[in-house]
Amino acid sequence: MNLLDPIFSSFPKTAARIRAACSAITAAGGTAYIVGGAVRDAIMQRPIKDIDIEVHGIPLDQLQVLLGEYETVALIGKSFGVLRWFESGIDWSLPRTDSSGRKPQVTINPHLAIADALRRRDLTMNAMALNVHTGELVDPFGGLADITKKILRAPDIKFFPEDPLRFYRVLQF
């Protein structure tokens, strides 16, 4: 199943710009992944509400300039490595690690392995990524199998209690 088609068809006005920006990211030596809910919802054949794209291999300043070639870019969370296309509301982020505790220290690391970046997500079904260039599904924690079995499971249980909002997100599912 090609998961990129249902994702991009959900955003017909923005899809060409996303693809062009992701091609430019690849040409600059980076890798763009659609992550989280859009991947989960494409697999479950549910409506896709938004797209979050995580970019590996490019520093934040370079990514901001590159994305600005395609749409106005808003820096919405520099300390978290998050950029947003202003008109379409597409979020672009860099991989990061967070320390434990109530006020975690965030470390942006554009060279973090995709599996390590996905490890900090709340559930395995949200810890999948789709390589925009190749269409490859990255599923290091068995999210696809958990969706099939209707199992809610954390990719790494040690991260789960670090964010109290994760408990409430699980209740939504």
Side-chain angles (χ1 to χ4, degrees):
M1 167 189 344
N2 179 351
L3 295 173
L4 289 173
D5 289 342
I7 292 171
F8 286 129
S9 67
S10 296
F11 299 88
K13 294 179 181 178
T14 313
R17 277 197 313 275
I18 294 170
R19 287 182 189 270
C22 289
S23 291
I25 288 166
T26 300
T31 306
Y33 296 96
I34 297 174
V35 294
V39 178
R40 175 200 66 226
D41 291 343
I43 289 168
M44 296 176 76
Q45 299 178 347
R46 295 169 60 182
I48 298 164
K49 299 173 188 144
D50 63 3
I51 299 175
D52 294 316
I53 302 173
E54 188 169 281
V55 177
H56 291 242
I58 295 178
L60 185 63
D61 294 341
Q62 182 182 358
L63 179 61
Q64 186 172 4
V65 170
L66 193 149
L67 293 175
E69 296 292 320
Y70 300 93
E71 192 172 312
T72 305
V73 177
L75 181 60
I76 62 167
K78 185 172 185 169
S79 62
F80 294 101
V82 179
L83 303 167
R84 177 173 287 160
W85 269 354
F86 184 75
E87 292 87 4
S88 61
I90 304 295
D91 285 344
W92 301 78
S93 64
L94 294 177
R96 70 180 208 233
T97 56
D98 304 338
S99 66
S100 61
R102 214 178 127 213
K103 294 185 178 182
Q105 181 164 346
V106 175
T107 304
I108 298 167
N109 180 356
H111 303 290
L112 189 67
I114 184 63
D116 292 332
L118 294 172
R119 180 179 306 281
R120 58 178 284 283
R121 294 190 166 262
D122 57 356
L123 297 167
T124 57
M125 68 180 182
N126 295 325
M128 296 182 288
L130 192 58
N131 184 313
V132 179
H133 181 68
T134 66
E136 173 193 7
L137 177 67
V138 180
D139 182 16
F141 304 103
L144 182 60
D146 287 354
I147 287 172
T148 302
K149 296 175 187 174
K150 298 184 179 185
I151 294 173
L152 298 178
R153 188 170 56 88
D156 189 329
I157 195 65
K158 76 177 184 181
F159 290 113
F160 194 84
E162 291 178 0
D163 181 355
L165 296 178
R166 287 185 176 140
F167 173 75
Y168 296 107
R169 291 215 49 216
V170 170
L171 289 177
Q172 289 177 334
F173 294 107

